[in-house]
Amino acid sequence: MPSTLLAKPNINYLLSSTAMALCSAFCPRISANFRPKPFSSSPSKPLLSLSFKVFSSQATDASSQDKFSGRVGFLGLGIMGSPMAQNLIKTGCDVIVWNRTKSKCDPLISLGAKYRSSPEEVAANCDVTFAMLADPESAIDVACGKNGAVRGMGPGKGYVDISTVDVATSKLINEHIKARGALFLEAPVSGSKKPAEDGQLIFLTAGDRSLYELVSPLLDILGKSRFYLGEVGNGAAMKLVVNMIMGSMMASFSEGILLSKKVGLDPSVLVEVVSQGAISAPMYSLKGPSMVKSQYPTAFPLKHQQKDLRFALGLAESVSQSTPIAAAANELYKVAKSYGLSDEDFSAVIEALKAKSQDTA
């Protein structure tokens, strides 16, 4: 079935061919893991179902016009989760929150949110529970661990996981939720701290269609567009592909900034030129000025970008897809992590290139 895209495309997001510059000093020798090899899954069904119909918040389906009247749970109040939960509270939603560090719940409680001491209690007291966790291990533990949300789920309830995880993790959580008779929707987001604060995220959803329709009014509060991608696993896969592209773009952009300075150009002017051309992307104009000043205010931690690249490379390997540019970018982010930059914004990857230049000078 052909895809129907209801979100307006923007050609300014096209990745420049200059990203091929990634295959520089950091491009590793292509190992056997990235060479084509036989794929052993059943020939009658692909690993991921990539035939899907796409919906966005601009669609005129009835669900987007209705207000959600149930109680909403929110698990995980970090860089992304906190502003998302705040936006739900500010629009009048009845919200119950939980976070491992309770102090992070206090600002939301002051806005009117209620607090419960475990994911299980949140899920048991809510119609729909959202989870925004840092990594697959946390996502599994909060959902399926001791006092996990699964224990509070049951028929008539829904669990929406907006964490960025790998396909296998999303499917595992789905199985546990379904075993309780509840509904599951994976809904990782494209966007970082500022879009989360402004309600401008992009939701990449997959799973129970009825739950997607039920929570659409909530997704429209939190984001500017939403896409329904079919069965569980497709949302996770789409997010990993998007972040693979983003990580590669940032690495190439970093090389360009340093090269321009090295040959006597003003890197600030480079940022302006790039931002006005066909390869313009909001990421360049947003991150570029700070990168020129060697400042990296954290909106998307570098450690998470590297994690997503690692998972994307694993996804590519599972279907024998060569991704040498992403592999080179991943090595660069690993170097940046080794320099203690894990908690800096992912734009701090430029520091790894600076160090490499100094080593070879």
Side-chain angles (χ1 to χ4, degrees):
M1 177 171 61
S3 301
T4 304
L5 181 60
L6 297 179
K8 193 173 182 179
N10 187 338
I11 61 170
N12 287 337
Y13 283 83
L14 293 176
L15 176 62
S16 168
S17 60
T18 57
M20 292 300 292
L22 277 165
C23 290
S24 59
F26 279 94
C27 187
R29 187 181 300 277
I30 304 302
S31 69
N33 289 337
F34 293 95
R35 295 172 189 157
K37 60 183 180 180
F39 184 50
S40 59
S41 67
S42 170
S44 61
K45 185 177 181 180
L47 177 68
L48 295 170
S49 175
L50 295 178
S51 176
F52 48 80
K53 188 173 183 180
V54 180
F55 298 85
S56 83
S57 58
Q58 282 70 44
T60 56
D61 56 303
S63 64
S64 66
Q65 308 302 319
D66 299 331
K67 182 177 179 180
F68 182 85
S69 58
R71 181 173 288 171
V72 181
F74 211 103
L75 310 174
L77 301 172
I79 291 176
M80 299 291 290
S82 182
M84 294 174 74
Q86 285 187 41
N87 284 338
L88 291 175
I89 296 166
K90 290 176 180 178
T91 55
C93 294
D94 186 2
V95 179
I96 298 180
V97 297
W98 172 88
N99 192 75
R100 283 196 177 100
T101 305
K102 183 183 179 298
S103 60
K104 290 189 176 182
C105 298
D106 293 340
L108 299 171
I109 294 172
S110 68
L111 291 175
K114 302 177 182 67
Y115 169 79
R116 292 293 184 273
S117 61
S118 71
E120 177 182 359
E121 290 185 39
V122 172
N125 286 277
C126 293
D127 300 287
V128 172
T129 300
F130 285 78
M132 173 57 103
L133 290 314
D135 51 49
E137 293 76 19
S138 298
I140 293 173
D141 184 52
V142 169
C144 310
K146 183 180 179 181
N147 300 319
V150 167
R151 294 176 178 271
M153 301 301 294
K157 294 180 179 291
Y159 192 79
V160 183
D161 194 345
I162 49 181
S163 315
T164 298
V165 299
D166 57 299
V167 173
T169 295
S170 193
K171 289 186 175 182
L172 176 65
I173 296 173
N174 172 59
E175 290 172 3
H176 282 271
I177 296 295
K178 289 295 186 65
R180 303 286 294 191
L183 301 177
F184 177 79
L185 188 74
E186 61 174 353
V189 299
S190 180
S192 56
K193 181 180 178 181
K194 188 65 164 61
E197 293 172 343
D198 296 342
Q200 293 293 300
L201 296 168
I202 301 169
F203 286 91
L204 310 171
T205 75
D208 286 303
R209 178 65 188 277
S210 59
L211 181 56
Y212 168 75
E213 293 174 346
L214 177 67
V215 302
S216 287
L218 300 177
L219 301 183
D220 291 346
I221 291 170
L222 301 172
K224 64 180 179 180
S225 59
R226 48 184 166 83
F227 298 85
Y228 180 75
L229 306 173
E231 62 185 61
V232 172
N234 286 344
M238 181 68 82
K239 177 59 188 294
L240 292 178
V241 172
V242 169
N243 278 18
M244 180 188 77
I245 295 171
M246 181 174 71
S248 300
M249 289 172 66
M250 178 56 75
S252 181
F253 186 49
S254 298
E255 288 187 338
I257 288 175
L258 295 181
L259 177 59
S260 68
K261 186 174 182 179
K262 200 93 171 204
V263 299
L265 299 174
D266 184 343
S268 297
V269 176
L270 171 70
V271 173
E272 289 188 44
V273 172
V274 169
S275 298
Q276 294 183 35
I279 62 171
S280 173
M283 179 178 75
Y284 295 147
S285 56
L286 179 66
K287 305 287 187 182
S290 295
M291 293 170 69
V292 171
K293 299 175 183 177
S294 299
Q295 298 173 355
Y296 316 105
T298 304
F300 181 47
L302 186 144
K303 62 185 177 184
H304 294 333
Q305 175 62 78
Q306 194 276 317
K307 172 206 67 172
D308 294 348
L309 276 166
R310 173 165 55 88
F311 285 137
L313 291 173
L315 179 65
E317 184 177 355
S318 72
V319 293
S320 300
Q321 172 62 51
S322 177
T323 51
I325 293 175
N330 183 51
E331 293 303 311
L332 187 58
Y333 285 95
K334 287 164 62 177
V335 170
K337 284 177 62 179
S338 74
Y339 290 147
L341 299 170
S342 291
D343 293 322
E344 299 290 331
D345 189 75
F346 78 114
S347 56
V349 70
I350 192 173
E351 293 296 328
L353 284 167
K354 290 179 182 178
K356 177 67 174 178
S357 297
Q358 292 170 359
D359 291 343
T360 58

